[in-house]
Amino acid sequence: MTATLASEPSAADAHRGPRVAYVVSRFPRLTETFVVDEALAVVAAGADVVLHPLHRERADVVQPRVAALEGRVEHRRLGSPGVLAGFLRGVVRRPGPVVRALGTIVWETRRSRRLLVGGLAAFPYAVDLARRLADDGVDHVHCHFATHPAAVGWVVHRLTGLPYSFTAHGSDLHRDRSMLGTKVADAAFVVTVSQANRAVILAECGDAVADKVHVVRCGIDPDQLPRRPRSTAGHPGPVRVCCVGTLHEVKGQATLVDACRLLVDEGRDIMCTLVGDGPDRDALEERAERAGLAGRVRITGRVARPEVVAVLAEADVLVAPSVASTDGRREGLPVVVLEAMAVGVPVVASRLSGIPEAVEDEVTGLLVPPGDPGAVAAAIGRVLDDPVAAEARVERAAERVAADFSLDASARRLVGLFGGATS
């Protein structure tokens, strides 16, 4: 039986929006713009949100909108004296539930070194957080990612009775599903960013949980993504191809570099911009140099959204060549695909995970098999050789994004789910 420490709502509470604690892995993380956007939109939709990151990201580049969350982020180091003291108070206060929660985490993640070590490291923080959230009168706990953040939310729920939920995005769901069944069973509801992710959860946990697993899109805000002028005419100079994302195997940039080599061999003048940074940067630079593309492949490094939007505004094609990585990682639905569709850039993307739910082949973009440079090169060639058809797909893509991927609509739905879980 779940121990209950949360206070009962007062009459005044019934007239306010839900107080929601967001548990995230790292903040402010440059590549997770969706966390910032969602938090701000949920606040605008009536919820009172405070973010609780497990790690404070120390970065020289942050998204400008992070500043709007000032006062809504509580940073506490996992092993800080305050957290450890709060953990000990939690153990003294309810030793039985604490021990049982710890035992569940150890048992269910025992075959996953990554989740076991991460769960143990975050456990004192979770116990301390449970005490603080109960004392603060929080109504609901929502976690981004099905791994360590969801484990923290689950512990808070087990120790306080507070309803909790989590959003599963991509690799957090595909790479390792240890303890997923318990997290889903105890959650008030679960959010996924795509129908493909929902199918993965149901395959793992069974159709009995179908009613609690909801698809809520990572929406976009058109005010942050101005539509570029419509044009089917070419421009002088090289064809501008771009790819946005962490430089990592799962993003598939190596496939794009090889595709650019094929396009150059066809006699096309190509300039490829890889927006981002990451562990594969050196390998990608070496790959481009070996392919004779040293002057045609540019890597920007870490940049914030305004610079990303500027690259998109000048691009002839956005390529999202995602692949399933050798260690089991897989994307859910890259937000940059939606951003490109909103800005008005033709999209070529892998037929993988939730991507086809936005990029419908021949309708809102072109889909290619993952890891196939020839198919990527051919699709880029089609965009360039038939600009009228490409522009028609761009127009339909903008309509699709506006209809199905609204940030405001997603935020309102989340707030409704939060409210339903606390009623």
Side-chain angles (χ1 to χ4, degrees), residues 81 123 179 185 225 263 328 343 371 376 397-398 420:
F123 189 76
M179 201 180 165
L225 300 159
L263 290 166
V343 170
V376 173

Side-chain angles (χ1 to χ4, degrees), residues 146-169:
T147 50
H148 310 315
V152 169
W154 176 83
V155 171
V156 171
H157 166 71
R158 294 301 300 171
L159 298 184
T160 66
L162 287 172
Y164 95 104
S165 56
F166 63 90
T167 297
H169 288 270

Side-chain angles (χ1 to χ4, degrees), residues 140-141 143 150 153-154 157 162-166 182-184 186-189:
H140 188 86
V141 181
C143 314
W154 176 83
H157 166 71
L162 287 172
Y164 95 104
S165 56
F166 63 90
T182 295
K183 294 171 181 173
V184 172
D186 286 351
F189 63 88

Side-chain angles (χ1 to χ4, degrees), residues 83-296:
V83 166
L84 295 178
F87 166 66
L88 293 175
R89 285 195 292 271
V91 172
V92 170
R93 192 173 182 180
R94 303 202 66 87
V98 171
V99 170
R100 286 193 290 273
L102 179 60
T104 298
I105 289 176
V106 170
W107 178 253
E108 296 207 16
T109 64
R110 66 193 184 282
R111 294 188 178 91
S112 172
R113 183 178 183 277
R114 184 175 65 90
L115 292 186
L116 175 60
V117 171
L120 292 176
F123 189 76
Y125 176 91
V127 174
D128 175 55
L129 182 65
R131 177 187 57 80
R132 291 186 289 114
L133 295 186
D135 290 345
D136 290 345
V138 166
D139 299 310
H140 188 86
V141 181
H142 186 66
C143 314
H144 267 283
F145 298 107
T147 50
H148 310 315
V152 169
W154 176 83
V155 171
V156 171
H157 166 71
R158 294 301 300 171
L159 298 184
T160 66
L162 287 172
Y164 95 104
S165 56
F166 63 90
T167 297
H169 288 270
S171 293
D172 59 318
L173 184 61
H174 295 279
R175 188 180 179 191
D176 189 338
R177 292 188 283 276
S178 299
M179 201 180 165
L180 180 64
T182 295
K183 294 171 181 173
V184 172
D186 286 351
F189 63 88
V190 176
V191 169
T192 73
V193 299
S194 67
Q195 293 289 351
N197 276 0
R198 184 175 186 272
V200 171
I201 293 176
L202 297 187
E204 180 76 15
C205 303
D207 291 339
V209 301
D211 289 346
K212 70 162 61 178
V213 183
H214 305 269
V215 176
V216 180
R217 305 294 188 180
C218 274
I220 60 170
D221 180 358
D223 292 339
Q224 304 293 317
L225 300 159
R227 183 77 185 274
R228 67 183 187 177
R230 182 171 184 253
S231 173
T232 58
H235 58 78
V239 173
R240 298 166 297 201
V241 177
C242 75
C243 177
V244 181
T246 302
L247 305 185
H248 185 280
E249 179 190 4
V250 74
K251 294 291 187 179
Q253 289 99 344
T255 300
L256 178 56
V257 171
D258 293 348
C260 288
R261 174 70 267 169
L262 296 175
L263 290 166
V264 170
D265 288 346
E266 293 175 4
R268 298 188 189 270
D269 188 7
I270 297 290
M271 178 62 70
C272 178
T273 299
L274 304 181
V275 180
D277 207 344
D280 286 0
R281 179 167 186 161
D282 290 345
L284 289 167
E285 289 175 339
E286 291 172 6
R287 194 182 197 98
E289 187 171 352
R290 288 197 307 270
L293 301 175
R296 295 181 179 274

